[in-house]
Amino acid sequence: MNRIIYFDVCALLLQGIIIFSLYFRKMTSGKINKLFISFMWLIFIDTLCDFLSCAPVNLIGSLARSPHFLYFLSSLYFLCRIITPLLYTAFIGNAVGNWYVFRKHKVLWGLYIFPYAIVPVVIILNTFKKFIFYYDEQCNYHRGKWIYILYLIAVYYIIFGVIYLFKVANMLAIDKFIAMFSLFPLNACATIIQLLRPELLVEMFAMTITSLLVTMFILRAEETIDMNSSTSSYTAFSQSLKRYTDSNVPVSIIFIKIKNSTSLLSFLGNDTYKALLQAFSDRIRPASDQTTDILSIVNVFDYSEQLFYITNGTYAILFEGNYTEETLINERNRVFSAANRNININFIDIPLDICVCSVNIPKELSTYEEVMDFSATFDKYIVGSGSFALSELPEEKQHMIKENIDTIISEALIHDQFEMYFQPIYDIKEKKFTCCEALIRLHSNGHFIPPSIFIPAAEKSGAIYNIGDFVFDNTFKLFKEYNFRDIGIKYVEINMSTIQCMKDNLKDSLQELLYKYNIPTDYINFEITETATDYIQDIVTKNIEEVHRLGFEITLDDYGTGYSNLRRLTSFPFNIIKLDKSFVDDLNKPKMKAVMKNTINMIKDLGDKVVVEGVEDKTTADWFINNKCDFIQGFYYAKPMPVNEFVEFIKSKNFKD
């Protein structure tokens, strides 16, 4: 039978590109990635079997055209072909975090596994009875009358997968749902076409199209891979943890902290520090997380270990599955032993200050917010280096860890307990207040909670998105409602956190606010902290550039707190540089004055304006005025105040003559 093999050739080429891209982009760790890689290898083997069994002799040689070899190829084809939708369903379940719950349901698990168990039995029996398919002496392929058994099992798994996908649809974004769903109609149509027209080899081509959609819309490297450490990213950790806690899946986590990471970054610089993180990642990576071959799928069904880089020298190894306490203790000790040694980078022997702590969820910490807060604070409760379990820490320290701010933040958002304050900024040239900074304050049950407490907690828990939306919306609203321009305020500075800089739809949300309040973009400046620019991910750079293209001015905030360099100042579209308060605090030191003069001159030579914050006395203010700063912000001129008080203050100062 002459068959058209061009679909298989195209499918093999596309599959090769997809598999290569997964390995090239280092999308090889973690249960979801491993499941998909195994899925890709299976359909590659499937397509190759299909191609070899149908290709002309002049392409593959006469030795491959024997009935026994062709029978082997077709048997392997059916074994792999029917397991692919079964494996795809497992991929869906793990992508939404529901797979552990599904596996615990014995009836559903039986309905999932049992039909496939029929396939190898049927293939073995077919060797003797020829009731499914066979090849004659002339190598012609023939279907038996029971071939439909295999097709019925394939259809069964398609229906099973569709039902399961719709059951968990509420846990997926619409683009991810469509990408995952595409396999089922494409696969069904291709199966029907190939059943009616056996010479059209379209089944594997249809599977390949789905695979391409999945890699485009679900397995996004920029979201899941941290390029600094070559491990899974903070976003991937947050999403995985959220899936497990929402589904009540028990997991264990080992947190590892390089306690001297900040000083190492300042000493080594970005490039060497990045090399340090990558070398450290290789040291502590679990053995199973390094396995990337198709056989790793056997282990992935029972358990998984995945290494994540969170931020600021903090790692997490997440364990899902049937791990004993003894296994976790051994793994924690292995990690500490591997981590607690100097690393040699570029012939520099770098000392590391390491602490390791493990936690069981939901036994010791139960909510997503608690775990994220713990990841940011656990090293503060460990004196020196060491390896501990959360249960081994003193009771009062456990209480301090668990008693986090997240519940207060959540209630404050619900009950409108956040309030916008504005701090005037003095314009030296115009000798009046021409701009201000928007600040958020929290009063809960009569108590003032400083931003230094609730902002870091919100960034770790994800509540910073809601707080950021509150700040953006209320600042736009109050600027227009109180006619800030009429009192001489040209623009408001709004802080944009590192987390917000990585928000996918940042540009769209800002455009909605512009449309909603109908104000020009030059009414608003966005402050990006210097440490936010330490993130070299493409999404941060893209978002900053898109915000600037909308017409907003960009200010670099807290200049001097991070790894300051000229490249940072010239790589981003900053118009204003705000000097950190630490410069002001050390101004009494002669060397600092020299540094400040040179820094101000350098920024002015680049064409940017200079703001100094934290000025609290006349002597300091006069020094910065004499050294040609453009703006001064601090308690010497004005404190942050509620909007009504702010408006009256500005009127009294700007129009006092």
Side-chain angles (χ1 to χ4, degrees), residues 341-354:
R341 292 183 284 113
N342 293 359
I343 289 182
N344 190 282
I345 303 291
N346 298 333
F347 305 104
I348 302 173
D349 200 37
I350 303 170
L352 301 177
D353 184 9
I354 303 296

Side-chain angles (χ1 to χ4, degrees), residues 549-569:
R549 280 196 292 269
L550 283 175
F552 295 104
E553 299 289 355
I554 306 293
T555 297
L556 176 62
D557 193 18
D558 297 336
Y559 179 77
T561 58
Y563 183 66
S564 306
N565 56 53
L566 287 172
R567 185 176 178 275
R568 187 196 306 278
L569 293 178

